[in-house]
Amino acid sequence: MSGNTITQTATSSLSRAARELELSRGEFDLALRLGCVRSVPDEGGGGRRVARTEIDRVRAEAGFPEALRERVKAVGTTEGAALMGVTSTRFTRLARLGLVVPVKFYLNRYRVVVWLYLAEELRQFAADKQNAPLMSGRTPEGLRGRLEEGLDLRPRNWRGRHMGFLLRQTEDPWARAAVVASLLDPVHVAEIVKDPYERVHLDRLRPEGVSHAAPDSPGARIAERITTADDPDEISWLRADLGQSLREAREDRPAPRPTPNAPSGATSGRTATPSPATPSAGRPSGAPPGAAPPPPTSASPASRPRHAAPHAPLTTPESGRSRRLLGWLRRRNPDACPSTAP
């Protein structure tokens, strides 16, 4: 109890940290993604928190808070084109070619994807003299041909950036494997992760989705298309990365599995009690207490009908009378006796 109190005092919730750093929630989220502000896991399992020392460090930086806000400023196509001194059409071409990488996206009221870019990165791109041929004049023929074929690297580049952010948030091997799996279609995940218990564990550790739309809504489906790899090269790379991450996770520890029932006569000293619905071992259901156990059989218990007795009773006068008595009782009261094999 005291340890949790000390932890809560030494850290702040994300909302409080955003207020103390004088950032809007959107700006604060980007600050976390970019590593401008570092967060730590909540020991109580309540998400992530920001250490008090980290808040003090950021507040002590030169130019706070204006410099921090400028580092996390995100702009759309129109404002980004104005920052670079190009038309919106040229800016979109540069983005589709993957020369400028989006840092965030959202859906507007018309369910159109709006990509956002870091203003600082756009200014750096425009200031680089090597990029001057791309800022004016005709687009090189090779690049123009790819655009005409429908090339659009914005979703793929965003996924790569998003995965990097998620991987920086954890050192746990299984959680890192879950990050990679979250970008693949479930069919690809099932082909790589053949163990169903491992797939369930990865799904449990799956990062929170980026869309706040209702499940199965049009907005959620659009967001799912963006967050799922669709390029063959990207899929191949992610599949290989998932396989490697899975091997590292297995070496660290196995995925959780159901605990098997303790066998009879276990070292703990406790005797396993058979289920009331399960016949006693070595004696068929409905057989008299003195009957001998049946001979071993090669048939697997799982292959028998659910309600059939494991073996037919031995043919003895005593067992015959028992069966006739049981049959008479069932006719009088079907629920009075358990079913037996004919």
Side-chain angles (χ1 to χ4, degrees):
M1 184 71 178
S2 60
N4 291 338
T5 303
I6 294 174
T7 301
Q8 295 291 327
T9 303
T11 61
S12 298
S13 65
L14 298 184
S15 57
R16 180 172 181 176
R19 290 195 301 270
E20 295 197 39
L21 295 177
E22 303 181 32
L23 297 174
S24 68
R25 191 53 193 262
E27 292 172 333
F28 183 74
D29 289 343
L30 277 181
L32 290 176
R33 290 178 175 273
L34 298 173
C36 301
V37 179
R38 297 185 293 265
S39 62
V40 295
D42 185 357
E43 294 181 0
R48 301 190 69 84
R49 299 176 66 86
V50 179
R52 181 73 253 174
T53 54
E54 178 68 5
I55 295 176
D56 295 339
R57 180 191 69 81
V58 176
R59 290 181 62 89
E61 291 179 345
F64 176 86
E66 288 77 12
L68 177 60
R69 289 175 182 162
E70 195 61 31
R71 290 169 62 187
V72 298
K73 182 180 180 181
V75 298
T77 298
T78 302
E79 190 174 355
L83 283 175
M84 296 177 62
V86 298
T87 64
S88 297
T89 301
R90 182 176 292 272
F91 181 89
T92 301
R93 290 174 183 170
L94 295 175
R96 289 177 56 190
L97 288 168
L99 300 175
V100 291
V101 180
V103 71
K104 190 177 180 180
F105 76 89
Y106 69 90
L107 302 180
N108 63 15
R109 67 174 69 180
Y110 307 107
R111 300 195 188 100
V112 175
V113 180
V114 179
W115 297 100
L116 299 177
Y117 307 81
L118 285 176
E120 186 176 35
E121 290 183 354
L122 299 182
R123 283 192 289 264
Q124 292 175 356
F125 183 90
D128 191 341
K129 294 182 179 179
Q130 295 183 354
N131 297 326
L134 301 171
M135 302 287 290
S136 60
R138 290 177 58 85
T139 303
E141 184 176 352
L143 299 179
R144 189 167 63 251
R146 299 184 67 187
L147 289 173
E148 293 173 354
E149 294 173 357
L151 176 69
D152 189 353
L153 294 179
R154 288 175 295 183
R156 176 174 180 172
N157 285 340
W158 176 86
R159 286 191 293 267
R161 192 166 208 165
H162 182 62
M163 184 175 72
F165 159 69
L166 294 175
L167 291 175
R168 287 194 299 270
Q169 296 293 304
T170 181
E171 294 296 330
D172 178 71
W174 281 103
R176 294 175 69 86
V179 169
V180 182
S182 67
L183 301 178
L184 283 168
D185 185 275
V187 174
H188 294 290
V189 176
E191 291 176 353
I192 302 298
V193 189
K194 300 188 180 298
D195 189 320
Y197 294 110
E198 291 181 341
R199 291 199 300 272
V200 169
H201 190 47
L202 291 177
D203 190 62
R204 188 180 297 116
L205 297 174
R206 186 183 181 92
E208 184 180 355
V210 297
S211 174
H212 299 289
D216 296 327
S217 65
R221 289 193 289 269
I222 294 174
E224 184 179 2
R225 287 199 299 268
I226 293 175
T227 57
T228 304
D230 56 359
D231 182 80
D233 291 339
E234 182 186 10
I235 292 173
S236 177
W237 178 78
L238 287 173
R239 285 171 61 99
D241 196 15
L242 177 58
Q244 177 61 32
S245 300
L246 195 61
R247 287 189 290 271
E248 295 174 358
R250 287 167 176 164
E251 292 175 358
D252 181 74
R253 66 185 186 279
R257 296 175 183 275
T259 304
N261 294 330
S264 178
T267 56
S268 61
R270 284 179 286 187
T271 303
T273 303
S275 171
T278 304
S280 299
R283 190 177 75 245
S285 175
T297 177
S298 59
S300 171
S303 64
R304 305 186 191 108
R306 173 179 293 181
H307 300 292
H311 300 284
L314 294 178
T315 306
T316 64
E318 183 179 358
S319 63
R321 287 194 297 271
S322 299
R323 287 199 303 273
R324 287 195 296 273
L325 176 61
L326 291 174
W328 180 81
L329 289 174
R330 280 199 302 273
R331 288 194 297 273
R332 293 294 301 274
N333 186 1
D335 297 328
C337 302
S339 60
T340 58

